[in-house]
């Protein structure tokens, strides 16, 4: 496989995240309203989560950033939204009914837990046990032989629960693009190469979910299938690896040093792939997949043509040839990006003898860009602060907060990553000026209200540049 990760040598080595960062983030997420356990008042449900007000905003920013880079800024990618439940033959043709399985082993000892056979070694290592011993990572009990377990959720379509009515919740969004290849081609009169992309929920009955929202049973994917001429796929695979890696660094502000591109070796390759790279991030539990970029050849179109009996060939009017396009796929999960961004942005420092927690999120990705804070709850200050919020609302995502002491409100905004805060005080009523406080250096400047929008724009630009430097590894944190 070609080396497509040339930048790695010019960035500093990765810094392992603090081992307890997930616990810290789980509590911050719950307390501040990023993530709640699903149906929590009933005791929750394993590997399912709900996103709160801030989490919903961050996820929306992630989806928008992907949409912008993959669709809006390009001429060659169309979007679709396909149904979650599809004709079950789709999953026969795709190979999921046959192959979408993980090897499962049961503990026969004390704890009786179920494990993914290929995770036992890492799970033992994570618990400080000898990874070479093939025993239960929890209680050292003996494990059963591995058997294959299909990860697709089954349900029934219509009122009769019989085998003929059995359908699946989609385990990936990709097949929605393949089965619509002909429709999109006819509707858009596209020429190769072009992509079809989709954002949407997927479902997998994972054997060992966990690590917060890293591995869920219901999650959201953003996938793109790039259809191309056979023979151009290798070069496009390299192109998309670089493009996707750059997106994490440039648009999301994830530190390059904490990312790597890893090629799958022959045993690891999926049944459909002739070459796959993973964009990986250094999580507290080790390197983990964020995004997969795969050369799927003409596997999927060939399978669907065969199983559906429909001709899915592409006609090239310049050569008068008909052929099945090859496909390079990019597949990433919103929830994994979400947890990656929180880990990557999380920082603690001591300020005047007190611990300060800051999320150093890219200013365009933070749930809010500007907090508007009246110094106190006095009605005249509240009214003025609402007026100030009105000046910037619509251009920037703003939050209004007048609940606690100003110091505590600054700390809260630091913890949720808000880049800028605008404080309205009693002087504002006289001099028509406000204070802008910036998250990273906690510097403050006073600006007249007439110049507020411009000043916020300039400060955000500075923070964008700083985020770019931090992500590229050209500056220390902050
Ligand atoms: P893994 O090896 O971690 O199980 P995978 O190789 O099966 O992942 P893909 O089928 O390539 O994953 O899925 C594409 C992307 O979808 C992944 O890179 C990840 O970001 C996301 N994803 C997959 N499974 C899950 C899950 N259970 N929870 C959250 N996100 C997921």
């Amino acid at each position: 496989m070609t080396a497509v990760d040339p930048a790695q040598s010019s960035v500093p080595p990765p810094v392992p995240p603090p081992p307890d960062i997930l616990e810290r983030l789980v509590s911050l997420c719950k307390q501040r309203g990023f993530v709640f356990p699903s149906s929590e008042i009933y005791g929750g449900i394993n590997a399912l989560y709900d996103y709160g007000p801030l989490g919903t905003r961050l996820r929306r920013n992630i989806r928008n950033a992907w949409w912008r880079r993959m669709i809006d800024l390009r001429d060659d990618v169309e979007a679709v939204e396909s149904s979650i439940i599809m004709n079950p033959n789709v999953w026969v043709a795709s190979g999921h009914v046959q192959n979408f399985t993980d090897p499962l082993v049961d503990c026969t000892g004390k704890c009786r837990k179920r494990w993914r056979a290929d995770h036992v070694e890492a799970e033992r290592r994570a618990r400080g046990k000898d990874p070479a011993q093939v025993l239960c990572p929890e209680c050292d009990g003996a494990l059963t032989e591995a058997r294959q377990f299909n990860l697709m959720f089954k349900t029934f379509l219509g009122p009769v629960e019989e085998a003929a009515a059995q359908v699946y919740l989609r385990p990936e969004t990709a097949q929605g693009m393949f089965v619509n290849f002909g429709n999109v081609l006819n509707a858009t009169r596209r020429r190769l190469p072009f992509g079809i992309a989709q954002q949407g929920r997927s479902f997998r009955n994972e054997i060992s979910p966990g690590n917060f929202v890293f591995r869920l049973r219901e999650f959201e994917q953003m996938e793109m299938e790039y259809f191309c001429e056979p023979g151009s796929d290798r070069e496009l695979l390299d192109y998309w690896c670089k493009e996707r890696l750059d997106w994490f660094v440039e648009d999301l502000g994830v530190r390059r040093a904490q990312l790597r591109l890893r090629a799958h070796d022959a045993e690891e390759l999926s049944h459909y792939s002739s070459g796959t790279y993973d964009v990986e991030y250094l999580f507290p539990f080790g390197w983990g997949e964020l995004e997969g970029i795969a050369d799927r050849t003409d596997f999927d179109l060939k399978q669907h043509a065969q199983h559906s009996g429909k001709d899915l060939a592409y006609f090239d009017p310049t050569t008068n040839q008909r052929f099945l396009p090859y496909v390079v796929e990019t597949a990433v999960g919103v929830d994994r990006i979400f947890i990656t961004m929180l880990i990557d942005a999380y920082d603690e420092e001591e300020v005047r003898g007190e611990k300060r927690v800051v999320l150093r999120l890219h200013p365009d990705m933070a749930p809010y860009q500007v907090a508007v804070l009246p110094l106190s709850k006095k009605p005249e200050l509240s009214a003025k602060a609402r007026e100030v919020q009105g000046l910037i609302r619509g251009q920037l995502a703003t939050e209004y907060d007048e609940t606690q002491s100003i110091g505590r409100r600054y700390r809260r905004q630091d913890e949720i990553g808000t880049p800028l805060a605008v404080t309205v005080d009693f002087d504002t009523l006289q001099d028509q000026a406000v204070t802008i406080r910036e998250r990273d250096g906690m510097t403050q400047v006073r600006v007249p209200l007439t110049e507020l929008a411009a000043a916020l724009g300039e400060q955000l630009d500075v923070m964008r540049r700083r985020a770019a430097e931090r992500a590229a590894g050209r500056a220390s944190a902050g």
Side-chain angles (χ1 to χ4, degrees), residues 176-192:
M177 278 80 95
F178 293 123
V179 299
N180 278 301
F181 171 69
N183 286 337
V184 173
L185 193 62
N186 290 336
T188 63
R189 303 176 175 274
R190 284 275 180 188
R191 294 272 157 256
L192 294 183

Side-chain angles (χ1 to χ4, degrees), residues 204 206 214-216 219 221 289-291 331-333 336:
R204 296 182 188 179
E206 298 276 2
F214 178 85
R215 192 178 300 284
L216 298 168
F219 55 99
Q221 289 189 306
E289 173 182 338
L290 255 184
E291 173 151 2
V332 68
R336 283 206 189 161

Side-chain angles (χ1 to χ4, degrees), residues 3 12 30 38 59 63 117 127 135-136 138 149 201 209 247 275 278 283 286 301 322 328 380 392 428 442:
K30 169 88 197 292
S38 167
R59 276 164 58 87
R63 283 195 217 104
R127 286 167 178 75
L135 292 173
C136 175
E138 191 79 19
F149 172 78
R201 297 265 170 167
W247 178 70
D278 286 347
F283 290 98
L301 288 182
R322 296 179 67 79
V328 174
E380 59 271 37
I392 40 182
T428 307
M442 295 176 287

